[in-house]
Amino acid sequence: LQSACTQAKTSGVIVYGIAFEAPAGGATQIAGCASSPSHYFNATGLQINTAFRAIASNISQLRLTQ
């Protein structure tokens, strides 16, 4: 997983990660895969909606600036 994430990030891909009700080990792996701490979300229950909204907002802003 980390190798694939590193390759994607090296290629310029912005990687978001959502650890949805994940155990600690899984959350650590997903956090390590994300492009930065601000691209990582640890969500439980309905918090997943907030995570997806934040990602959608960020992507929309990228389109406007790039």
Side-chain angles (χ1 to χ4, degrees):
L1 173 67
Q2 294 307 317
S3 176
C5 293
T6 299
Q7 185 176 8
K9 291 185 282 189
T10 300
S11 298
V13 175
I14 298 172
V15 179
Y16 289 88
I18 300 174
F20 180 65
E21 298 182 3
T28 299
Q29 289 296 315
I30 294 169
C33 185
S35 290
S36 74
S38 66
H39 292 95
Y40 167 72
F41 300 87
N42 190 352
T44 58
L46 294 178
Q47 291 174 338
I48 196 159
N49 291 330
T50 303
F52 281 116
R53 279 191 202 107
I55 292 168
S57 175
N58 193 312
I59 290 170
S60 294
Q61 290 176 358
L62 284 175
R63 283 190 213 156
L64 292 174
T65 60
Q66 293 181 355

